[in-house]
C-alpha cells in the first residue's frame, strides 16, 4: 500500500446537475487509492441526481452521499456539510460540473506532506465548452514549485480567490473555524479564501494542473460567475470583496487586504465595465451609483497597487456622477488595454481623460514603457470576391508613438478554440498618414487559408527604437464592415465570412467554408429567429 493512500476526502457539491455530476464524481474516484472517500452533497435536487449518486455509491464504497432536505440556495452550505462529514486528514472541493484531471490529488498531497504545510495549491484551467479552449487561472502563481512560509510574503495569493484548486488539512479548517458563508451567498469562495489566508498558513505551490473549471456559456442555467446580467450579481461581488477585505484587515494582514481590493479593480471592475454597453440604462445608472459609493472607501494606496486600466476606470467613475464614455471604458478594460481618442490635455500639456474631466490625469502615459502603453489601433476588414483587405490605423498617444518611430506590424489570425494555432500570419509596414492622423497599414487577407472557426486578430507593433507592443485592434463599425458576407472561393467554392466586434471591442472573424458550412450557419441563424419569434 502506498503511504499516502486514503488520505483525502473529495467534497463534490451539486444541485440539479444530472448531466454532469457522474463525470465529476468519477474524476475524483479516478485519482486512485489516495482518495479515501468522495462525499457527494446533493443540495435537494429534483432532476434525478440523487439516484445517480446512489448508483455510484453502489458501485464504489468510497462514495458517500449526503442528501440535504432543503435547498440552501448557494454553494457555501453544502461545502460546509462536506467539511463536517470528512473523515480523511485532507480534503478538496469539486463542483458537480467540473472535473479533477488525472494525478491532481497526488500532486497536491505529496507537496503538502513533503513540506508539512496545511495548504497546497495548483493551477486551475478554465475550459470553454464545447470548443475545449483552455485558459489558465492566475498562472503567475503556479509557474514553478514553491513553499510560501506565510501568505503575506506573497500578497498575490489574494488574487486566487478559488477554493477548488487547493488541498486543505482538515484539522486546520476545523481548528480555525474556517467555513463558507451560509445560504444564498454568491462569491462565497472570496470570503472562504480570505479566512484561509487570514489564518496565516504556510502554502505549498505546485505547477501541475489540478482542476478543470468548465465554462458553459450556452447552459440553460448559467453559473454564478457567468450570470452577470442582473445588478444583484454585482452587488454580491462587491459585498464578498468587502467582507474579504475586512477579514484580512481584521487579522492584521494589511498587504493581503490591499491585494483583495487590487483584485477587485484589476479583475471585477474591468470585467463588468467591458459589459456596460450591453446593459440597459437602468442597470448602468444603478451600477454606476453603487460602484462610486463602494470605491469612495478606497484610499490612494489601494489605487496605486492596481493596474493602470483598473485605476483609470475607477477614477472616471469617481469623477462623474452619471454614466459616461461607456464604449471608451470598454476599450480601456480590454486585455490588452486600448485607450481610444480623444486625447485631451490641459493648458500646460498634462494628458487628461477629457477636457471636462481634467482631474483624471494620464501623466503616467508620458513615462510608461512602450510595451505597456494602451495604444489604440483601428481595424477594418472588407471581405471581397477578388481580394479581402485589412486596413489598420495606429493612433498617436501624446507624442509617445511618434517618438518611438512606428516601423511595422506583425499580424496573426489565431484560432479561438486553440490559441497555439495560427491560421494566417503577415507583416506590413506602418506608414505615416496625415489624413488619418496617425500611421496606417493595408494588406490582403487570404480568407480561404483560415478554414472554419472563429479567429482572433493579434498584433505586434514594432518601432525603430527597438521596442514593441502586443495588442488587439479595435473593430471599426460602419456600413458594410461588420456582418455576414458570402465570398466566392476557388478552394471552397464559397465562404461565409463574418467580421464582428467582441465584448471588449476587438475585431474577430468567423469563417464557414463551403456550401455545407454556409447552409449550417444560415440554418442556425434561421432557427434562432424562429425561437425569438
Amino acid at each position: 500500500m502506498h503511504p499516502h493512500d486514503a488520505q483525502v476526502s473529495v467534497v463534490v457539491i451539486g444541485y440539479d446537475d444530472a448531466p454532469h455530476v457522474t463525470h465529476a464524481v468519477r474524476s475524483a474516484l479516478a485519482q486512485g487509492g489516495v482518495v479515501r472517500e468522495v462525499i457527494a452533497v446533493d443540495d435537494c435536487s429534483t432532476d434525478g441526481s440523487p439516484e445517480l449518486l446512489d448508483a455510484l455509491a453502489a458501485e464504489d464504497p468510497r462514495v458517500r452521499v449526503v442528501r440535504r432536505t432543503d435547498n440552501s440556495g448557494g454553494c457555501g452550505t453544502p461545502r460546509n456539510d462536506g467539511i463536517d462529514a470528512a473523515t480523511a486528514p485532507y480534503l478538496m472541493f469539486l463542483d458537480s460540473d467540473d472535473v479533477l484531471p488525472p494525478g491532481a490529488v497526488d500532486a497536491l498531497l505529496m507537496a503538502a506532506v513533503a513540506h508539512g504545510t496545511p495548504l497546497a495549491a495548483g493551477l486551475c484551467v478554465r475550459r470553454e465548452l464545447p470548443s475545449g479552449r483552455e485558459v489558465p487561472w492566475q498562472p503567475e502563481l503556479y509557474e514553478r514549485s514553491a513553499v510560501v512560509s506565510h501568505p503575506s510574503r506573497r500578497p498575490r495569493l489574494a488574487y486566487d480567490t478559488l477554493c477548488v484548486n487547493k488541498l486543505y488539512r482538515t484539522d486546520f479548517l476545523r481548528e480555525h473555524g474556517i467555513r463558507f458563508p451560509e445560504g444564498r451567498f454568491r462569491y462565497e469562495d472570496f470570503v472562504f479564501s480570505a479566512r484561509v489566508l487570514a489564518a496565516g498558513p504556510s502554502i505549498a505551490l505546485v505547477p501541475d494542473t489540478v482542476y478543470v473549471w468548465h465554462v458553459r456559456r450556452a447552459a440553460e442555467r448559467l453559473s454564478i460567475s457567468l450570470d452577470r446580467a442582473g445588478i444583484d450579481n454585482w452587488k454580491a461581488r462587491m459585498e464578498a470583496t468587502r467582507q474579504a477585505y475586512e477579514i484580512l484587515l481584521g487579522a492584521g494582514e494589511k498587504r493581503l487586504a490591499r491585494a483583495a481590493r487590487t483584485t477587485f479593480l484589476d479583475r471585477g471592475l474591468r470585467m463588468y465595465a467591458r459589459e456596460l454597453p450591453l446593459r440597459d440604462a437602468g442597470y448602468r445608472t444603478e451600477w454606476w451609483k453603487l460602484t462610486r459609493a463602494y470605491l469612495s472607501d478606497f484610499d490612494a494606496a489601494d489605487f496605486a497597487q492596481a493596474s493602470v486600466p483598473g485605476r483609470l476606470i475607477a477614477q472616471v467613475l469617481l469623477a462623474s456622477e452619471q454614466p459616461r464614455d461607456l464604449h471608451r471604458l470598454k476599450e480601456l478594460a480590454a486585455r490588452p488595454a486600448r485607450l481610444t481618442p480623444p486625447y485631451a490635455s490641459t493648458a500646460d500639456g498634462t494628458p487628461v481623460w477629457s477636457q471636462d474631466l481634467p482631474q483624471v490625469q494620464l501623466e503616467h502615459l508620458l513615462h510608461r514603457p512602450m510595451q505597456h502603453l494602451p495604444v489604440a489601433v483601428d481595424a477594418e476588414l472588407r471581405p471581397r470576391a477578388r481580394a479581402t483587405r485589412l486596413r489598420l490605423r495606429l493612433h498617436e498617444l501624446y507624442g509617445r508613438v511618434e517618438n518611438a518611430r512606428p516601423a511595422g506590424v506583425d499580424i496573426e489570425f489565431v484560432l479561438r478554440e486553440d490559441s497555439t494555432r495560427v491560421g494566417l500570419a503577415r507583416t506590413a509596414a506602418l506608414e505615416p498618414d496625415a489624413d488619418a492622423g496617425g500611421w496606417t497599414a493595408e494588406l490582403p487577407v487570404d480568407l480561404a487559408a483560415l478554414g472554419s472557426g472563429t479567429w482572433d486578430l493579434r498584433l505586434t507593433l514594432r518601432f525603430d527604437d527597438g521596442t514593441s507592443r502586443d495588442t488587439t485592434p479595435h473593430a471599426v463599425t460602419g456600413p458594410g464592415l461588420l456582418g455576414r458576407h458570402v465570398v466566392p472561393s476557388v478552394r471552397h467554392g464559397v465562404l461565409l465570412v463574418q467580421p464582428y466586434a467582441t465584448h471588449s471591442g476587438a475585431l474577430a472573424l468567423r469563417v464557414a467554408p463551403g456550401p455545407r458550412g454556409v447552409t449550417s450557419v444560415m440554418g442556425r441563424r434561421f432557427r434562432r429567429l424562429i425561437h425569438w419569434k
Side-chain angles (χ1 to χ4, degrees), residues 229-310:
I231 196 66
D232 285 346
N233 184 287
W234 182 237
K235 291 179 180 178
R237 193 179 190 107
M238 287 192 295
E239 174 60 19
T241 304
R242 183 191 64 78
Q243 289 195 26
Y245 173 81
E246 291 181 351
I247 288 166
L248 292 166
L249 198 63
E253 300 293 351
K254 192 168 185 178
R255 293 181 70 196
L256 291 169
R258 184 152 284 147
R261 283 187 163 178
T262 300
T263 305
F264 174 82
L265 294 170
D266 286 348
R267 188 159 71 226
L269 187 64
R270 289 177 72 171
M271 182 192 310
Y272 286 71
R274 283 197 301 270
E275 298 173 349
L276 273 183
L278 304 174
R279 310 303 181 208
D280 60 34
Y283 177 100
R284 295 172 184 174
T285 299
E286 188 171 3
W287 185 92
W288 199 273
K289 178 182 176 182
L290 290 169
T291 310
R292 291 184 80 237
Y294 182 65
L295 292 174
S296 65
D297 287 336
F298 285 40
D299 58 29
D302 294 326
F303 293 117
Q305 297 295 319
S307 67
V308 170

Side-chain angles (χ1 to χ4, degrees), residues 20-151:
H20 308 121
V21 67
T22 297
H23 195 198
V25 171
R26 289 197 190 282
S27 79
L29 293 172
Q31 300 296 311
V34 68
V35 173
R36 174 184 297 183
E37 59 190 359
V38 177
I39 302 171
V41 184
D42 181 76
D43 203 4
C44 200
S45 295
T46 58
D47 68 341
S49 294
E51 290 74 20
L52 292 174
L53 295 175
D54 287 343
L56 288 167
E59 290 178 13
D60 194 318
R62 290 182 296 165
V63 178
R64 295 174 53 203
V65 181
V66 176
R67 292 194 186 188
R68 291 188 51 78
T69 56
D70 62 307
N71 179 257
S72 68
C75 297
T77 298
R79 288 202 188 113
N80 288 338
D81 291 342
I83 294 173
D84 293 338
T87 65
Y90 296 87
L91 66 82
M92 285 187 70
F93 300 107
L94 172 61
D95 290 348
S96 61
D97 54 350
D98 299 331
V99 293
L100 298 178
V105 177
D106 257 335
L108 291 170
L109 181 63
M110 285 194 298
V113 172
H115 301 289
T117 63
L119 175 62
L123 183 67
C124 167
V125 295
R126 289 168 50 101
R127 179 182 293 165
E128 299 269 353
L129 295 176
S131 71
R133 177 188 181 221
E134 292 189 350
V135 179
W137 172 264
Q138 299 298 322
E140 299 86 355
L141 281 171
Y142 305 107
E143 290 177 341
R144 61 186 64 87
S145 297
V147 178
V148 182
S149 60
H150 191 279

Side-chain angles (χ1 to χ4, degrees), residues 324-325 328 342 344-345 352-360 362 398:
R324 57 170 291 159
D325 303 333
R328 199 173 183 218
S345 58
V352 294
W353 178 259
S354 63
Q355 295 294 351
D356 61 334
L357 286 185
Q359 64 270 47
V360 182
L362 312 179
Y398 298 110

Side-chain angles (χ1 to χ4, degrees), residues 511-530:
V511 179
R516 183 175 297 179
V518 172
T519 302
S520 174
V521 172
M522 297 305 290
R524 288 196 298 270
R525 184 185 183 194
F526 178 75
R527 287 191 293 272
R528 284 197 299 269
L529 289 173
I530 294 297

